[in-house]
């Protein structure tokens, strides 16, 4: 397949590198310095090089599949570029959090959404380290399951696990709960993901957050807590994407994760309200 990957951060570099073994992959970034760095060095995944084409996003071309790996707040800026190639392209959005699907559905057709629970850390503009194996689940937004199933089959290879998910909202809500616990706690306390299970005090707060989120999203609380523990344990050596945003003074995805849950909920969620405000306070320090 001819695949474009937009946003060459942790997830984009990972996906582009792994798919380049079996597909024709072009990565799109927004800084020429990053483009030059990848052209010169390839993408290094734990020092192993992978070579792809790299272009600036304004030079986007048509592809069978475009995988969008920018963070939630950056999707708006990208929409005009995506519309240019929308006639023939299938789009796969790989963001944490929710809020983007309604927005992109108004502008684009052939949309797939996915969740990624690999733990990945970007070291340099051209290099990443894999901090926990996981799974990418993809589903169709407009009940076009054939495209989602075909895409999952084409993308899945030994090195990258991609699975079709028949229940879009369940998959997205489960991932939302996991991120609403791991991401803000690790960002506030500046710890790796595994710490939320090994520090008894953090574990209690994590459990409370998980319970509230499960209540809000109408998912069984024990099931939600087991998912949180599974991902925290699988990615125990990773610094979450929210922690990296805080460390780099970037806007976090809190509005699309805990903020989304708070808006959806008919119940009061004291732990999520507090952690939302704490992250906002930390963003503004
Ligand atoms: N890191 C992880 O372990 C995981 C992250 N996720 C989710 O995946 C998504 C991506 O996260 P992650 O890879 O960590 O984020 P990063 O911040 O590492 O990467 C995002 C990339 O998008 C680029 N970008 C932003 N706007 C544009 C644009 N208009 N055109 C081209 N490139 C652009 C940024 O460029 P620049 O460098 O120039 O700012 C950056 O390289 C998030 O929703 C995150 O929550 C999901 C699972 C695991
Ligand atoms: C899977 C996990 C928790 C990996 O750190 C993640 O989604 C993130 O960091 O945003």
């Amino acid at each position: 397949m001819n695949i474009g990957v937009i946003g060459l951060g942790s997830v984009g570099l990972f996906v582009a590198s792994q798919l380049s073994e079996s597909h024709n992959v072009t990565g799109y970034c927004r800084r020429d310095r990053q483009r030059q760095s990848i052209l010169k060095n390839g993408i290094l995944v734990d020092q192993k090089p992978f070579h792809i084409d790299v272009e600036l996003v304004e030079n986007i071309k048509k592809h069978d599949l475009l995988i969008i790996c920018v963070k939630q707040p950056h999707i708006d800026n990208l929409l005009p570029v995506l519309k240019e190639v929308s006639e023939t392209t299938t789009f796969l959005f790989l963001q944490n959090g929710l809020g983007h699907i309604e927005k992109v559905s108004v502008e684009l057709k052939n949309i797939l959404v996915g969740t990624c629970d690999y733990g990945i850390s970007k070291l340099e503009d051209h290099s990443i380290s894999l901090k926990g194996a996981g799974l990418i689940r993809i589903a169709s937004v407009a009940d076009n399951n054939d495209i989602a199933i075909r895409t999952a089959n084409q993308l899945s290879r030994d090195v990258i696990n991609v699975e079709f998910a028949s229940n879009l909202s369940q998959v997205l809500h489960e991932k939302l709960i996991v991120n609403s616990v791991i991401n803000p706690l690790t960002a506030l306390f500046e710890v790796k993901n595994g710490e939320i299970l090994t520090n008894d005090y953090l574990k209690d707060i994590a459990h409370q957050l998980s319970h509230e989120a499960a209540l809000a999203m109408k998912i069984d609380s024990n099931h939600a807590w087991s998912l949180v523990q599974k991902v925290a344990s699988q990615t125990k050596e990773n610094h979450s994407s929210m922690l990296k945003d805080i460390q780099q003074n970037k806007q976090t995805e809190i509005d699309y994760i805990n903020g989304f849950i708070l808006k959806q909920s008919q119940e009061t969620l004291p732990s999520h309200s507090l952690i939302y405000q704490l992250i906002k306070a930390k963003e503004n320090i």
Side-chain angles (χ1 to χ4, degrees):
M1 243 199 304
N2 187 318
I3 300 175
V5 177
I6 307 185
L8 299 177
S10 307
V11 172
L13 288 170
F14 172 66
V15 167
S17 61
Q18 304 309 299
L19 295 180
S20 71
E21 301 234 276
S22 326
H23 301 277
N24 182 359
V25 176
T26 305
Y28 292 98
C29 56
R30 60 177 173 180
R31 289 174 291 111
D32 197 47
R33 201 158 151 228
Q34 179 173 32
R35 178 174 168 268
Q36 297 298 344
S37 166
I38 298 174
L39 287 175
K40 183 170 161 217
N41 303 292
I43 298 173
L44 300 183
V45 181
D46 293 313
Q47 299 306 320
K48 182 177 173 199
F50 295 82
H51 293 278
I52 62 163
D53 286 338
V54 195
E55 292 288 347
L56 291 175
V57 72
E58 57 263 34
N59 298 328
I60 194 148
K61 287 180 272 183
K62 289 186 175 158
H63 295 278
D64 304 325
L65 177 69
L66 257 182
I67 308 181
I68 294 91
C69 302
V70 303
K71 289 208 160 113
Q72 289 268 4
H74 297 136
I75 288 180
D76 284 338
N77 282 344
L78 213 52
L79 273 174
V81 176
L82 301 182
K83 274 163 80 176
E84 277 177 36
V85 292
S86 64
E87 276 313 308
T88 51
T89 303
T90 296
F91 299 96
L92 169 58
F93 286 84
L94 269 192
Q95 282 65 39
N96 281 337
L98 281 171
H100 56 315
I101 299 176
E102 295 72 16
K103 199 163 45 187
V104 300
S105 299
V106 176
E107 308 280 354
L108 307 170
K109 293 181 293 188
N110 301 329
I111 300 168
L112 307 176
V113 286
T115 60
C116 164
D117 55 20
Y118 281 88
I120 310 145
S121 278
K122 183 175 153 195
L123 310 174
E124 289 174 88
D125 267 348
H126 63 274
S127 80
I128 52 170
S129 177
L130 192 55
K131 302 282 188 189
L135 180 64
I136 292 178
R137 288 192 181 85
I138 63 179
S140 157
V141 169
D143 275 346
N144 199 344
N145 284 347
D146 287 352
I147 299 186
I149 293 169
R150 202 172 53 238
T151 307
N153 288 338
Q154 283 169 320
L155 298 188
S156 202
R157 292 289 182 271
D158 291 348
V159 279
I160 184 167
N161 288 322
V162 185
E163 223 175 68
F164 165 69
S166 56
N167 190 335
L168 173 70
S169 67
Q170 186 182 339
V171 164
L172 293 176
H173 290 170
E174 287 178 354
K175 181 70 162 92
L176 185 70
I177 295 174
V178 167
N179 287 116
S180 77
V181 178
I182 298 178
N183 291 27
L185 272 183
T186 53
L188 268 181
F189 289 90
E190 305 192 16
V191 292
K192 291 180 183 172
N193 295 354
E195 189 81 15
I196 71 157
L197 300 178
T198 51
N199 178 311
D200 289 341
Y201 295 95
L202 281 183
K203 191 173 177 181
D204 277 351
I205 306 171
H207 200 168
Q208 176 61 22
L209 282 167
S210 173
H211 177 67
E212 281 184 15
L215 202 67
M217 304 318 292
K218 302 187 172 32
I219 284 181
D220 177 71
S221 181
N222 291 330
H223 175 59
W225 179 230
S226 72
L227 291 176
V228 170
Q229 292 181 92
K230 184 171 163 213
V231 176
S233 155
Q234 273 172 350
T235 63
K236 61 177 189 264
E237 289 303 322
N238 201 35
H239 289 123
S240 74
S241 54
M242 195 173 285
L243 171 54
K244 279 173 245 153
D245 285 337
I246 289 286
Q247 286 170 335
Q248 293 162 19
N249 286 318
K250 290 183 179 166
Q251 183 188 351
T252 70
E253 294 181 303
I254 192 81
D255 282 311
Y256 304 88
I257 302 177
N258 304 71
F260 184 92
I261 292 176
L262 284 165
K263 270 200 201 129
Q264 286 286 307
S265 179
Q266 282 146 6
E267 324 277 337
T268 50
L269 308 175
S271 306
H272 282 270
S273 299
L274 178 61
I275 206 140
Y276 175 85
Q277 284 176 301
L278 289 169
I279 290 290
K280 283 287 178 192
K282 197 156 169 128
E283 265 182 359
N284 284 287
I285 286 172

